[in-house]
Amino acid sequence: VQLQASGGGLVQAGGSLRLSCATSGRTFSSYIMGWFRQAPGKEREFVGSITWRGGSTYYADSVKGRFTISRDNAKNTGYLQMNSLKPEDTAVYYCAAGPKFTVRESQYDYWGQGTQVTVSS
């Protein structure tokens, strides 16, 4: 079971990025996919999550209305579209997968390696 996040980079405030999370090794149709981030000197925090079957999503208040999570089951890939980026969105972003629709990172069993997002002011 592997997840690989990609798509990070440097962007100016107000810009957009789309992160991808490719999965392999198992069918994730019954798994929840979550996105987390960790800024320098801070603990990792929940960003959002999506159910693979129903397409339901849930977001942290800090990103609600700016970020959108989606998935392409045929490609076993999830996405995090980030719009109206702010300098405080700068962090390493991680994708994760687990059995529960939750904000708690301990409930996610599989993790990608992280991709750096830097937003300049």
Side-chain angles (χ1 to χ4, degrees), residues 8-121:
L10 174 63
V11 63
Q12 290 187 334
S16 298
L17 278 176
R18 188 178 80 157
L19 306 184
S20 299
C21 181
T23 66
S24 61
R26 181 170 291 190
T27 300
F28 278 83
S29 60
S30 60
Y31 278 79
I32 307 303
M33 175 165 282
W35 287 92
F36 292 78
R37 67 185 181 184
Q38 187 168 21
K42 295 186 177 180
E43 294 185 351
R44 189 157 56 186
E45 65 175 2
F46 173 80
V47 173
S49 59
I50 185 169
T51 58
W52 281 94
R53 285 181 176 174
S56 297
T57 56
Y58 182 77
Y59 300 95
D61 287 343
S62 58
V63 306
K64 198 174 297 181
R66 300 187 298 122
F67 290 11
T68 302
I69 296 175
S70 62
R71 82 276 191 262
D72 184 337
N73 289 343
K75 296 181 178 180
N76 282 333
T77 301
Y79 304 97
L80 177 63
Q81 177 68 43
M82 305 184 294
N83 299 328
S84 301
L85 282 161
K86 305 174 181 180
E88 52 263 44
D89 294 317
T90 294
V92 176
Y93 283 72
Y94 299 88
C95 59
K100 295 185 179 181
F101 195 47
T102 177
V103 305
R104 300 176 64 180
E105 65 176 273
S106 62
Q107 299 295 315
Y108 290 84
D109 298 324
Y110 308 105
W111 290 82
Q113 84 286 5
T115 184
Q116 175 71 47
V117 172
T118 303
V119 184
S120 63
S121 58

